[in-house]
Amino acid sequence: MAIELPKTKVPAKSQDPKYLILFGLPKVGKTTVLSTLDNNLILDMEQGTTFIDALKVEIKTLADLKETIKLIKAAGKPYKYITIDTITAVEEMAKPLAIKLYQDSPMYSAKYADVKDITQLPNGSGWSFLRQAVEMIVDMVAGVTDNIIICGHVKDTALSEGVDGSVKDLDLGGKLKRILSARSDAIGFVHRDENSNLCINFGQNGEVLTGARPAHLANKDIIVAERNEDGTFTSRWDRIYPSIANNN
């Protein structure tokens, strides 16, 4: 196909974040808010959906995940959204795969044939295989849906040396976090407001490390699930994915 240089601005293809990372404090409602998103399959890797009605599959092993992906393909990829809950569990799940990648690589040494934890290889060499394994698992999920959501835990990260305080950040290994963050369209912090509505902050203040490429999300704090008097929630995910409103 011949390449043609544009003479005017090329319109955006979509405003939906195809690759969304969410993190928040324990029990704040991350899984609850994700359950309010229609046609969102939650891959529950930490048994966090036990008390929540949701489209969900419990995943305990990499074999479980591979079987689920196979079934999704056979069903014609019916889910518009798939959530990995959580990326921390994926990191643990990826370790046997990382060992296999190491064993198949030119770096393999029989001296470490019985290694059980890839991160214990000398000079930190195992971390690159773990990152590769995690990316392979994420790509496996991304290949069967239009939109992938990665859910994670939060940690307090110290500010630069000489500056007091900390910020809330995604709890994930340094290089892996940077790789996944670079691939994401938006990174949001899940929290509740004073009315117990479930919200996602995309960088409105300096207390959390978040951000977003889509203009309708950047520097916004958005209510995505409005709490009703009976304790249920009304979904407002169209504020995150504009195509939802366009299709109604």
Side-chain angles (χ1 to χ4, degrees):
M1 182 181 69
I3 296 175
E4 294 185 7
L5 295 176
K7 297 180 176 60
T8 59
K9 290 184 178 181
V10 179
K13 291 183 178 180
S14 174
Q15 292 300 314
D16 286 359
K18 301 293 184 184
Y19 198 115
L20 175 63
I21 295 177
L22 299 178
F23 65 101
L25 296 169
K27 308 297 187 293
V28 74
K30 297 186 296 295
T31 305
T32 298
V33 74
L34 289 163
S35 72
T36 67
L37 175 59
D38 287 342
N39 203 20
N40 174 36
L41 176 67
I42 299 176
L43 302 177
D44 182 3
M45 301 177 182
E46 293 188 345
Q47 290 71 60
T49 62
T50 302
F51 303 103
I52 298 172
D53 295 335
L55 280 173
K56 57 187 178 180
V57 176
E58 189 172 293
I59 305 291
K60 293 183 178 179
T61 65
L62 183 56
D64 288 344
L65 179 60
K66 288 181 177 179
E67 178 65 19
T68 301
I69 296 298
K70 181 179 178 181
L71 291 172
I72 293 171
K73 287 181 178 178
K77 303 178 183 179
Y79 304 107
K80 185 174 181 179
Y81 314 90
I82 296 182
T83 293
I84 293 175
D85 190 11
T86 66
I87 191 63
T88 303
V90 168
E91 194 171 21
E92 285 300 312
M93 188 182 296
K95 287 182 177 179
L97 175 58
I99 291 175
K100 179 66 166 55
L101 293 173
Y102 166 65
Q103 292 171 339
D104 293 341
S105 76
M107 291 179 61
Y108 174 71
S109 170
K111 182 179 179 181
Y112 302 105
D114 296 326
V115 66
K116 301 299 182 184
D117 186 344
I118 193 69
T119 64
Q120 298 304 308
L121 290 178
N123 304 315
S125 58
W127 286 99
S128 62
F129 294 102
L130 182 57
R131 290 193 294 270
Q132 184 181 348
V134 171
E135 285 192 273
M136 289 174 66
I137 292 173
V138 171
D139 287 343
M140 187 191 310
V141 176
V144 294
T145 185
D146 294 334
N147 305 277
I148 185 170
I149 302 171
I150 295 175
C151 193
H153 299 300
V154 65
K155 68 176 179 179
D156 286 334
T157 299
L159 296 173
S160 57
E161 187 176 351
V163 179
D164 293 333
S166 63
V167 292
K168 289 179 173 56
D169 193 8
L170 176 67
D171 188 7
L172 199 62
K175 287 187 178 180
L176 179 57
K177 182 180 68 178
R178 288 195 292 273
I179 291 169
L180 295 182
S181 296
R183 293 173 61 175
S184 71
D185 299 312
I187 305 172
F189 179 70
V190 180
H191 67 101
R192 291 179 185 261
D193 65 12
E194 63 275 10
N195 297 314
S196 292
N197 298 310
L198 288 164
C199 312
I200 303 178
N201 187 306
F202 291 100
Q204 193 180 37
N205 59 56
E207 296 179 358
V208 290
L209 294 179
T210 56
R213 292 191 181 104
H216 71 285
L217 301 180
N219 298 315
K220 302 291 197 317
D221 193 12
I222 300 173
I223 296 174
V224 291
E226 296 175 346
R227 189 178 187 279
N228 304 313
E229 290 185 1
D230 61 359
T232 61
F233 290 91
T234 299
S235 174
R236 295 311 307 268
W237 276 95
D238 56 301
R239 295 168 176 170
I240 307 297
Y241 296 100
S243 66
I244 294 176
N246 296 337
N247 291 333
N248 288 339

